[in-house]
Amino acid sequence: MNRLGKKANETLIEMALSADDDIVILTKFKPSQSEGEECNGPLCETISTSGSEVPSSSEGLNSTETTLLIPEHQVIDKRHQSKDSIFFRDGVRRIDFVLSYVDDLNKDWEKKLERRREFESNLQKAGLELETEDKKESEDGKIYFVKIHAPWEVLITYAEVLNIKVPIKENDIPSMVENPLDCMLAPLRLPKEVMHPEPDYFTAPFSKEKQELYLINDESTFFSPSMRNRIVNYILTRCPYGTEEGKKKFGIKRLLNNGTYSAAYPLHDCQYWKKANDPNCDNERYTLYMEWARFLRFYKEQPLDLIRKYYGEKIGIYFAWLGFYTEMLFLAAVVGLICFLYGLFTMDENMSSKEICDPAIGGEIIMCPLCDRECEYWRLNTTCASSEYSHLFDNVATLFFAIFMGIWVTLFLEFWKRRQARLKYEWDLVDFEEEQQQLQLRPEYEAKCTQKKKNPVTQEMEPYLPITSQAVRFCISGTTVLFWVSLIIASMIAVIVYRLAVYAAFASLMENTQTLQPISGLLTPQLATSVTASCLNFVIIMILNFLYERIAIWITDMEIPRTHMEYENRLTMKMFLFQFVNYYSSCFYVAFFKGKFVGYPGAYTYMFNRWRNEECDPAGCLIELTTQLTIVMAGKQIWGNIQEAIVPWICNWWGRRKARNNPENLYSRWEQDHDLQIFGALGLFYEYLEMVIQFGFITLFVASFPLAPLLALMNNILEIRVDSWKLTTQYRRPVAAKAHSIGVWQEILNGMAILSVVTNAFIVAFTSDMIPRLVYYYAYYESEDSPMSGYINNSLSVFQISDFPYRNKPKMNPENFVICRYRDYRYPPDHERKYLHTMQFWHILAAKLAFIIIMEHVVFIVKFFVAWMIPDVPADVKAKIKREKYLTQKILHEYELEKLKERLCQGDKGATEKEFIATEGRMELSRAM
């Protein structure tokens, strides 16, 4: 093992907040300059005049003609440079980050020039090395590129600041016992070098004082590219660039916002469709594309370790969760498909639809008009087809599937906790508490909060937002959210009014249009109204969603959250609350309100005293809920995939169309990545939001549509490959970030899991016809040989047409009907309790309430029992964590003991015999523990 042979140059990083400064100050690095090295960076002249020492930018290299920042340069022939080069011109120093800007001579160009000069000067003072590409060498002749390299001294300094864990010893814990089914799962496996690109090591936080302890074989590759770009991004977000309006200004984000720079991004390591010519390139992007991002690999497992290595833990944990969710959906999809097939195979045995379709029964039952004046009397058998289809989803299997999904949700969440615990161990996140860039103050918070107070822990002055200001901002934020939620509810009411207003038009159109007669049995006025209203509702959902995304970001920015984690959590709750109401409100209406408050003929209830409330189909409202759910869920998934895949591809194609007319070797790696789309800080937020909304569809309303998990499964198989494809091919490489869990989304999923038990119990009880059928089967049957015969006639009440008020009475009654039927349990007109609810109605209501209570309690008891039985952390992972902690402590103590022995042997007076004994005693205590 090649240990570090030289002592690192003395460096100093002081991160302090003074009473006069609003920012974190990065003080100078002062590495010694090698003999014969010339400073050739873009800001060397500026820095040398200030008397500061900076690392050299290159060794005797030609450089490009550049901006006003660089007074003199020689022209370099780019044809001798590989288009896939990820190194400086010397071919040695790796490009860790790239900044780009356009030198547009507008009114602010001098100010931007000064900002760039100051910012790049401070970057070099912080130890980074820069190399600038002139605009004449860029594809469009307008863009300058500043390439950034972090030397070893910078990396080890900030690795200690960021508490990055690095290898100290190869893991000697035996791997898990082989699964006997591995041979059967072999076609689903990826090659070992893809699944596990690095050996497994015991790790410890990096310390500059203990470099001999770590497995440093090669300084240039010891820190992975994702670690390097994290470190550089950490510096970029905190580097000052001057004072404006009496305030210190800092951070690349603000420079991007004010147009000083146009982009800041780390580089992909190669083109995705072929390997790089440079033997020093890892070609991880190519491997990810070939083994992960192609749809033909949909049946293969995901290379999570390689994803984590290339993109960082935060993106890795998302794909791990999405993959696990998809795996668990397979079980739910199979059970849902079996329930659907049960309904399909028993369709012909359904007594209710048989009676509706029978001309002697359904054909003789005259139903009351479904709208006032314009609608006519109609025969029950006209709904024959819809009653048959409703049996697909409204049958005994629906109850079983609702209970099963309540338990499935618990299994999914509990097993995910175990999977997450295993990943935390494998990815060195066990002791991870949200990193400094997550817990530290946001630059925006520091900039906008002018008042300061002493931190009781650190005893340092830090900015804070007064309580009064917070209260005002929260009031404005809350009012805005309530306004938009009210807007959603208003739009839903508008769709309901549409349904009520157009029903009569559809009924008249289908009655009088001869071309629609052949399909009138399938396309009923109710179904036509439901389908068109669902499509209209989906369009409104997309429009409101587009508008609210921008509003949510604006009001979250206005609140000035203190930390990055606080910002994400607040935005998550706002967006989820809005999308919850936006996507699910129409489904809640159909499931729990439609057909429940219609009154009865002669005493109908009206919305705004104008539009008569909707009635359910005689076969029930469940088929309409299924239609609504299918359209919104499928439409959202199709639209989401178009947004995620097709739109970025078109944008990139349009942006790269000029490059095809030029030789390949003139289109450099940084220019290729510059032309890609930006995967912003909220990129993963939208991915999680999309999947959590889908999770709600397959849990909250799954009793109405057993095929929902199957649709979700097919979508997620595509989603994994679409997300991986766009991330690998269409987007710039995101800055790596750490995360040890899916964050606040876990709590949202837990809340939806509990709510789903309640909603499905109410759907089975009040939306489906299962409870009324069961009550009839056991208490009101008319024939012992066929208990369900006569159910349709029993479920329809009688109304005397002469009792119709003028407002409700149809204009025409050509067949002179005397009575009509309607869906309810009321006494007939010749009864002394005319049109009041019968005792059977109250029996059914009691049975529904009893069913809800029993189902909820049974499912909740099973859920909590399952959650209690399944530990969050697997036993073998607990043992490995303890073993690793013990061995890590042992190695560190032995290292300290060896260093102390060396000091004693060298006659160091500071190393006393008592200190040696104490160190040995600590080792013994550690072994005992």
Side-chain angles (χ1 to χ4, degrees):
M1 183 170 61
N2 181 23
R3 295 293 184 185
L4 189 63
K6 57 181 174 55
K7 186 174 174 14
N9 295 315
E10 291 298 323
T11 61
L12 174 65
I13 295 183
E14 294 177 356
M15 309 181 69
L17 285 168
S18 66
D20 301 323
D21 295 333
D22 292 331
I23 62 166
V24 177
I25 300 174
L26 302 176
T27 62
K28 299 177 186 178
F29 260 87
K30 293 188 178 180
S32 59
Q33 194 164 334
S34 303
E35 187 178 349
E37 250 183 14
E38 294 181 5
C39 181
N40 197 29
L43 299 173
C44 289
E45 182 177 299
T46 304
I47 297 168
S48 60
T49 57
S50 66
S52 62
E53 295 179 326
V54 297
S56 65
S57 188
S58 59
E59 297 182 13
L61 296 169
N62 295 329
S63 62
T64 58
E65 188 175 344
T66 186
T67 66
L68 296 174
L69 298 177
I70 310 173
E72 55 182 354
H73 292 280
Q74 301 174 6
V75 178
I76 186 170
D77 186 359
K78 287 184 69 177
R79 288 174 295 180
H80 295 305
Q81 187 178 18
S82 168
K83 65 175 277 188
D84 277 327
S85 174
I86 54 173
F87 295 93
F88 276 20
R89 298 184 201 103
D90 57 12
V92 176
R93 291 171 296 168
R94 186 185 188 98
I95 301 172
D96 297 314
F97 230 88
V98 175
L99 307 179
S100 67
Y101 62 91
V102 178
D103 203 3
D104 51 352
L105 299 177
N106 59 16
K107 61 179 181 179
D108 294 329
W109 76 275
E110 290 184 349
K111 186 180 290 186
K112 292 179 181 178
L113 179 66
E114 182 59 33
R115 288 171 184 160
R116 284 194 292 268
R117 178 184 290 117
E118 183 71 20
F119 186 69
E120 293 176 20
S121 172
N122 288 330
L123 288 180
Q124 290 188 314
K125 291 176 183 178
L128 298 179
E129 298 176 3
L130 311 182
E131 187 175 78
T132 302
E133 294 288 332
D134 186 71
K135 65 180 180 180
K136 295 179 181 178
E137 303 294 339
S138 66
E139 178 62 35
D140 59 4
K142 298 178 181 178
I143 304 175
Y144 295 90
F145 292 95
V146 180
K147 299 174 286 185
I148 301 176
H149 168 75
W152 175 254
E153 291 78 8
V154 173
L155 294 174
I156 60 176
T157 302
Y158 283 95
E160 187 170 12
V161 171
L162 293 175
N163 205 34
I164 292 177
K165 289 186 175 183
V166 293
I168 57 174
K169 183 180 184 295
E170 192 159 349
N171 193 336
D172 61 356
I173 299 177
S175 59
M176 295 177 60
V177 179
E178 290 190 6
N179 190 338
L181 299 178
D182 278 348
C183 58
M184 298 175 59
L185 300 176
L188 309 180
R189 303 295 187 197
L190 288 173
K192 187 176 180 180
E193 62 273 14
V194 176
M195 286 300 297
H196 305 289
E198 294 179 322
D200 191 14
Y201 294 104
F202 292 131
T203 59
F206 189 84
S207 172
K208 288 201 301 181
E209 305 300 325
K210 302 175 182 177
Q211 292 186 45
E212 296 84 356
L213 179 64
Y214 308 113
L215 303 180
I216 306 175
N217 295 317
D218 185 352
E219 291 180 5
S220 62
T221 60
F222 180 67
F223 293 103
S224 67
S226 61
M227 289 181 183
R228 297 174 72 100
N229 72 55
R230 269 181 61 215
I231 290 173
V232 174
N233 182 68
Y234 183 88
I235 298 173
L236 289 174
T237 54
R238 287 153 185 81
C239 184
Y241 60 85
T243 303
E244 296 178 9
E245 300 176 357
K247 293 183 180 179
K248 291 273 189 176
K249 301 292 183 180
F250 63 96
I252 187 63
K253 184 176 180 180
R254 186 170 293 171
L255 291 172
L256 291 171
N257 291 338
N258 61 32
T260 304
Y261 290 100
S262 59
Y265 53 93
L267 291 180
H268 283 294
D269 62 359
C270 66
Q271 296 182 16
Y272 66 86
W273 66 86
K274 68 177 183 179
K275 293 184 177 181
N277 297 323
D278 192 333
N280 295 322
C281 180
D282 294 330
N283 295 300
E284 291 175 348
R285 185 189 188 192
Y286 170 79
T287 304
L288 285 170
Y289 174 72
M290 297 301 294
E291 301 291 348
W292 177 53
R294 295 190 300 166
F295 182 73
L296 293 178
R297 293 282 182 171
F298 73 92
Y299 62 93
K300 293 283 190 178
E301 61 184 337
Q302 296 188 88
L304 294 178
D305 287 345
L306 185 58
I307 297 169
R308 171 242 184 172
K309 181 184 177 187
Y310 192 75
Y311 291 115
E313 287 81 1
K314 193 170 186 178
I315 289 178
I317 206 81
Y318 163 73
F319 280 104
W321 176 81
L322 180 57
F324 184 80
Y325 172 43
T326 304
E327 291 171 12
M328 291 293 291
L329 274 177
F330 181 79
L331 175 61
V334 169
V335 177
L337 181 60
I338 293 173
C339 293
F340 174 78
L341 293 176
Y342 170 83
L344 181 64
F345 293 142
T346 59
M347 188 184 296
D348 295 335
E349 303 172 8
N350 182 27
M351 184 60 68
S352 297
S353 58
K354 279 184 179 181
E355 291 186 347
I356 291 174
C357 297
D358 189 346
I361 302 176
E364 296 299 323
I365 296 178
I366 308 302
M367 301 297 294
C368 296
L370 294 173
C371 64
D372 295 337
R373 303 294 293 166
E374 299 296 332
C375 295
E376 299 179 351
Y377 301 100
W378 52 285
R379 297 183 185 275
L380 182 59
N381 64 349
T382 57
T383 62
C384 173
S386 62
S387 69
E388 290 179 337
Y389 292 133
S390 69
H391 179 72
L392 292 173
F393 310 107
D394 190 0
N395 52 65
V396 178
T398 301
L399 172 60
F400 165 77
F401 192 60
I403 296 174
F404 168 80
M405 286 302 294
I407 299 171
W408 175 87
V409 170
T410 304
L411 292 174
F412 163 64
L413 294 174
E414 292 302 316
F415 281 124
W416 165 246
K417 291 178 184 177
R418 292 170 61 84
R419 178 75 174 117
Q420 189 171 257
R422 193 174 297 278
L423 285 175
K424 285 172 67 175
Y425 166 73
E426 294 174 354
W427 291 357
D428 292 324
L429 301 170
V430 174
D431 297 324
F432 172 74
E433 296 179 0
E434 301 303 338
E435 289 190 1
Q436 290 190 28
Q437 67 256 37
Q438 298 289 339
L439 289 180
Q440 69 180 357
L441 303 181
R442 294 172 63 238
E444 295 83 356
Y445 181 86
E446 295 180 288
K448 294 179 181 178
C449 298
T450 56
Q451 299 187 38
K452 294 179 180 292
K453 68 176 183 180
K454 184 178 288 187
N455 187 311
V457 178
T458 62
Q459 293 297 306
E460 295 178 354
M461 299 298 292
E462 62 179 31
Y464 83 104
L465 193 64
I467 297 295
T468 52
S469 178
Q470 291 184 41
V472 172
R473 292 172 188 275
F474 280 134
C475 287
I476 296 174
S477 174
T479 304
T480 306
V481 172
L482 287 176
F483 169 77
W484 278 87
V485 170
S486 302
L487 191 62
I488 298 172
I489 297 174
S491 68
M492 185 190 70
I493 293 174
V495 173
I496 295 172
V497 170
Y498 164 84
R499 299 170 73 113
L500 302 177
V502 303
Y503 178 82
F506 276 121
S508 177
L509 178 68
M510 293 180 179
E511 182 71 25
N512 300 323
T513 306
Q514 295 297 322
T515 55
L516 296 177
Q517 290 298 319
I519 60 171
S520 61
L522 178 63
L523 188 63
T524 61
Q526 295 100 316
L527 184 60
T529 303
S530 179
V531 170
T532 55
S534 298
C535 294
L536 177 63
N537 181 67
F538 175 72
V539 173
I540 293 174
I541 284 173
M542 291 294 105
I543 294 173
L544 290 177
N545 187 43
F546 174 80
L547 296 174
Y548 182 76
E549 281 183 8
R550 285 139 187 82
I551 297 296
I553 293 173
W554 175 75
I555 58 178
T556 306
D557 288 338
M558 183 200 64
E559 292 175 4
I560 318 180
R562 189 170 184 270
T563 66
H564 291 282
M565 186 60 62
E566 190 177 332
Y567 181 91
E568 286 190 12
N569 289 345
R570 289 188 188 180
L571 181 61
T572 297
M573 296 310 298
K574 289 183 183 67
M575 285 295 296
F576 177 74
L577 174 63
F578 177 84
Q579 299 237 15
F580 184 92
V581 179
N582 198 18
Y583 281 107
Y584 301 144
S585 57
S586 58
C587 293
F588 271 101
Y589 164 72
V590 175
F592 306 122
F593 296 98
K594 183 180 177 181
K596 307 299 187 295
F597 310 101
V598 296
Y600 63 93
Y604 289 117
T605 54
Y606 289 82
M607 177 179 285
F608 307 128
N609 202 32
R610 180 175 178 182
W611 291 286
R612 195 173 112 187
N613 286 349
E614 285 184 286
E615 296 182 45
C616 288
D617 189 274
C621 267
L622 200 67
I623 188 67
E624 293 189 44
L625 177 58
T626 302
T627 303
Q628 178 78 22
L629 184 66
T630 305
I631 290 175
V632 176
M633 181 179 175
K636 181 185 181 303
Q637 292 177 350
I638 293 171
W639 178 250
N641 286 325
I642 290 174
Q643 280 186 311
E644 291 182 12
I646 297 178
V647 172
W649 180 83
I650 292 174
C651 293
N652 288 334
W653 171 82
W654 183 258
R656 289 195 303 259
R657 67 194 188 284
K658 295 180 295 184
R660 296 197 300 269
N661 300 323
N662 295 302
E664 275 193 352
N665 59 345
L666 296 183
Y667 194 36
S668 62
R669 161 64 32 215
W670 44 90
E671 290 177 276
Q672 294 175 48
D673 285 10
H674 180 270
D675 291 340
L676 297 177
Q677 299 300 298
I678 302 172
F679 191 80
L682 297 177
L684 276 186
F685 167 80
Y686 293 113
E687 301 296 340
Y688 275 118
L689 184 62
E690 178 186 3
M691 287 296 102
V692 170
I693 293 296
Q694 182 206 82
F695 181 81
F697 280 124
I698 70 163
T699 54
L700 296 177
F701 308 102
V702 75
S704 67
F705 191 34
L707 291 181
L710 181 61
L711 285 181
L713 174 64
M714 292 188 294
N715 174 80
N716 286 9
I717 291 173
L718 179 63
E719 180 77 20
I720 290 174
R721 304 304 157 178
V722 167
D723 285 351
S724 59
W725 174 80
K726 73 177 183 183
L727 202 59
T728 307
T729 67
Q730 304 301 310
Y731 283 86
R732 296 173 188 165
R733 185 174 184 172
V735 177
K738 276 197 171 186
H740 70 294
S741 68
I742 61 175
V744 70
W745 298 108
Q746 182 80 35
E747 302 306 318
I748 291 175
L749 292 174
N750 288 333
M752 294 181 74
I754 295 173
L755 181 60
S756 68
V757 177
V758 179
T759 57
N760 283 302
F762 272 86
I763 287 173
V764 173
F766 286 97
T767 309
S768 79
D769 261 6
M770 181 176 299
I771 302 301
R773 285 199 295 262
L774 289 174
V775 171
Y776 178 82
Y777 183 89
Y778 287 107
Y780 291 91
Y781 63 88
E782 298 175 358
S783 171
E784 292 185 359
D785 296 333
S786 180
M788 286 306 297
S789 61
Y791 168 73
I792 291 298
N793 185 64
N794 177 266
S795 65
L796 299 174
S797 298
V798 178
F799 182 78
Q800 189 167 319
I801 292 175
S802 60
D803 292 337
F804 263 128
Y806 176 79
R807 179 180 184 179
N808 306 135
K809 193 171 185 177
K811 293 179 180 179
M812 300 177 62
N813 184 8
E815 300 185 42
N816 297 317
F817 297 122
V818 177
I819 62 170
C820 64
R821 310 293 294 273
Y822 60 98
R823 183 182 171 85
D824 206 342
Y825 294 92
R826 294 179 182 271
Y827 289 109
D830 56 353
H831 196 276
E832 60 180 7
R833 303 188 66 188
K834 178 180 178 179
Y835 301 140
L836 295 178
H837 284 301
T838 64
M839 188 56 66
Q840 187 175 353
F841 170 84
W842 300 109
H843 288 167
I844 292 173
L845 180 61
K848 289 179 177 180
L849 297 176
F851 169 81
I852 291 172
I853 294 172
I854 294 171
M855 178 179 169
E856 286 182 358
H857 281 70
V858 169
V859 175
F860 278 133
I861 289 172
V862 174
K863 279 170 62 72
F864 292 131
F865 178 74
V866 169
W868 175 75
M869 285 288 292
I870 302 175
D872 291 348
V873 182
D876 65 308
V877 172
K878 286 183 179 180
K880 288 180 178 180
I881 292 172
K882 292 178 180 179
R883 168 71 176 163
E884 179 165 346
K885 283 185 176 180
Y886 164 72
L887 290 178
T888 302
Q889 288 181 351
K890 180 181 177 183
I891 292 169
L892 291 173
H893 292 164
E894 287 177 349
Y895 169 79
E896 291 176 3
L897 191 61
E898 288 297 321
K899 298 295 288 184
L900 194 57
K901 286 180 179 178
E902 290 179 9
R903 289 169 61 192
L904 286 171
C905 293
Q906 293 171 1
D908 188 347
K909 296 181 179 180
T912 64
E913 186 176 352
K914 289 184 179 180
E915 185 180 354
F916 180 78
I917 295 172
T919 304
E920 276 194 324
R922 188 172 61 176
M923 289 180 61
E924 292 296 330
L925 181 61
S926 176
R927 292 192 190 99
M929 293 177 66

